[in-house]
Amino acid sequence: MAADINAFVTEATIEGDADAESPLADATVAVKDNISTAGIRTTCGSEMLADYVPPYSATVVDRLTEAGATVVGKTNMDEFGMGTTTETSAFGPTRNPVDTDRVPGGSSGGSAAAVAAGEADVALGSDTGGSVRCPAAFCGVVGIKPTYGLVSRYGLIAYANSLEQIGPIAGTVEEAAAALDVIAGDDPNDGTTRDLREVDGADPSTSYAAAADGDVAGMTVGIPTELFEGADERVVETVEAAIADLEAQGAETTEISLPSVEHAVQAYYVIAMAEASSNLARFDGVRYGHRSESDGNWNESFAETREEGFGAEVKRRILLGTYALSAGYHDKYYDKAQDARAWVRRDFEEAFDDVDVVASPTMPVLPFELGESLDDPLRMYLADANTTPANLANLPAISVPAGEADGLPVGLQLVGPKFGEAAIVRAASAVEDR
Amino acid sequence: MSDTAASDDGEAAVDAEEVRHVADLARVRLDDDEVDEFAAQFGDILEYFDALDEVPETEREEDLVNVMRPDEIEEGLSQEAALANAEETEDGFFVGPKVS
């Protein structure tokens, strides 16, 4: 199976602490290939970093191995996390274990596929605009995108810093929550992490795994009409059936409106591309990464190195980000995107005055067939309509299997208030139990 | 960038010259086929981004706190580890391309 689905870029082992006692002791973990592992190459799915061997491990990798988990390999991904299908990898596409003619979703497609195929108990992905939740939905597993600042990004090779978080993928809500328990927590090496003891309303002693108790009696679930409109009918029916089951278990549902999310995809892509154009400027072939044989000057050599090292989607985003930040366009695109981001955040804050969690389809579509969306980047971007709002608003979100449509997995997404991971884990475990 | 071409419907379109200019700013060399493909795709994508015009001006309050630690020397990467991934080094330094 392993060779068939191409879940791993590199199969290599980092042994976990054999004496550790934690729910993850003896678990196997697959790590997305943009998360640094000391001594094991970390490619970001790119020719640019095909031979890059990090001198240190990401904080999350150290925390997993200290908890007794053993890393079994580095998983395939869209190049630098830029994609929704895991087809933009320089190491070939990953296939969906549920239906190998279809994509596993992306960008953490290798991580979700490894878990779905039983090649790892747990996996780490990174979620900038849905890159953990999308592949979890498409492969029929669970994925959590934590609140911005809950999990250290130290050692995560940056794509869009203000949006991304590392998150766990697992076969069950409880396993994913147990992995989150291990990787969460402030880190002096990442100044954007928060110490929960200093966050109003947060409970630093929370066990996320313990919250997977399925007890939704009295919980209020908000249903935003905007995130159902335009979604595939088969997806909507499956998600609505799962929500009806939550009601049967004692949850209350109420329709809400989040008008700002109509602009989430636009705002997300402008901000992510702008940040990418700046972040990826570091790949010039001097300190690490591919270097062209160019005999031109400094600028020519950089341009040739980057032509050879980056694939089409990465070039597209660097160029569009450069464009959106350039003189004359900064106000029109970047500033307006920041306004939209603040608006999305406010919309959710107001919604959480009345509801505990917000439910919707994770993806508005069923898994694409391989090759289906590659030539039409805008179509691929639009598939992120339901996942990008949580990144823009810095909120926690989970994708949990809601059932199947035409034999393909459908994910239900639950978004919670800031540092409200326990609530989304609880609600998701009730979806899973039905 | 001031010579934005106008397409038939008056919306800002992107021509090959503009793609080349941005690619030059971003230090990414493109071949001619890529330039044409990107020009067409950027037109569609930027037209979609134009809907951001409808977004109301929104107050952006950032709740920022200083997270800087005192400037105390800590252990970092060794010079050897820092240079280990470089294509070319000399006497403990990175070697870059020629400046001109």
Side-chain angles (χ1 to χ4, degrees), chain A residues 123-421:
Chain A
L124 293 183
S126 63
D127 190 314
T128 311
S131 283
V132 161
R133 292 160 284 157
C134 161
F138 279 6
C139 293
V141 294
V142 177
I144 302 175
K145 180 260 170 209
T147 306
Y148 190 81
L150 183 68
V151 175
S152 170
R153 289 178 294 112
Y154 180 68
L156 171 68
I157 298 176
Y159 152 30
N161 321 48
S162 82
L163 297 158
E164 60 207 0
Q165 277 285 289
I166 292 170
I169 295 172
T172 66
V173 173
E174 188 176 356
E175 288 172 284
L180 182 60
D181 280 324
V182 169
I183 61 174
D186 60 316
D187 176 8
N189 284 328
D190 176 358
T192 62
T193 53
R194 299 292 301 275
D195 179 347
L196 290 191
R197 285 166 300 192
E198 291 166 12
V199 175
D200 278 348
D203 176 5
S205 64
T206 297
S207 157
Y208 302 121
D213 58 12
D215 181 10
V216 290
M219 184 183 267
T220 309
V221 180
I223 312 291
T225 47
E226 291 87 354
L227 299 184
F228 286 76
E229 285 163 8
D232 185 303
E233 240 173 68
R234 295 166 294 177
V235 170
V236 171
E237 279 170 19
T238 311
V239 168
E240 284 179 343
I243 292 170
D245 271 351
L246 284 180
E247 285 180 316
Q249 294 179 59
E252 256 176 70
T253 59
T254 177
E255 267 194 27
I256 60 170
S257 180
L258 301 168
S260 62
V261 301
E262 309 279 2
H263 295 286
V265 171
Q266 301 137 25
Y268 166 77
Y269 275 96
V270 168
I271 293 168
M273 288 167 170
E275 293 185 21
S277 72
S278 166
N279 272 319
L280 272 61
R282 71 185 58 159
F283 298 106
D284 55 21
V286 175
R287 289 155 298 164
Y288 35 68
H290 173 77
R291 179 157 171 181
S292 79
E293 299 285 331
S294 170
D295 51 14
N297 69 27
W298 191 278
N299 285 324
E300 288 158 354
S301 168
F302 287 174
E304 284 172 45
T305 288
R306 291 155 66 76
E307 176 190 31
E308 294 166 10
F310 292 142
E313 183 60 26
V314 173
K315 291 176 187 168
R316 204 151 33 230
R317 294 196 193 188
I318 290 173
L319 263 54
L320 282 165
T322 304
Y323 183 87
L325 290 175
S326 62
Y329 294 95
H330 185 282
D331 295 355
K332 178 176 166 57
Y333 295 112
Y334 189 72
D335 268 359
K336 293 308 288 183
Q338 294 294 356
D339 277 338
R341 183 172 189 172
W343 185 20
V344 171
R345 190 157 74 181
R346 202 186 62 197
D347 260 1
F348 274 100
E349 273 168 15
E350 286 173 8
F352 288 123
D353 287 341
D354 302 317
V355 304
D356 297 311
V357 296
V358 171
S360 72
T362 306
M363 298 300 290
V365 292
L366 292 169
F368 299 115
E369 288 178 25
L370 283 162
E372 191 183 329
S373 65
L374 258 187
D375 298 329
D376 188 351
L378 185 55
R379 182 172 167 219
M380 192 168 74
Y381 301 167
L382 291 172
D384 300 338
N386 288 6
T387 49
T388 49
N391 302 82
L392 290 169
N394 303 330
L395 298 174
I398 188 168
S399 179
V400 59
E404 287 188 350
D406 293 351
L408 296 168
V410 172
L412 182 152
Q413 173 178 253
L414 294 151
V415 181
K418 213 179 251 195
F419 296 107
E421 273 77 1

Side-chain angles (χ1 to χ4, degrees), chain B residues 21-60:
Chain B
H21 176 64
V22 176
D24 194 44
L25 290 175
R27 307 287 186 272
V28 177
R29 205 175 70 172
L30 300 177
D31 62 35
D32 290 346
D33 288 348
E34 256 178 327
V35 169
D36 293 340
E37 191 190 331
F38 281 1
Q41 291 171 342
F42 288 6
D44 290 345
I45 294 167
L46 291 170
E47 194 185 319
Y48 175 65
F49 287 171
D50 281 343
L52 286 168
D53 284 344
E54 300 156 11
V55 172
E57 207 171 298
T58 309
E59 202 177 323
R60 302 183 223 150

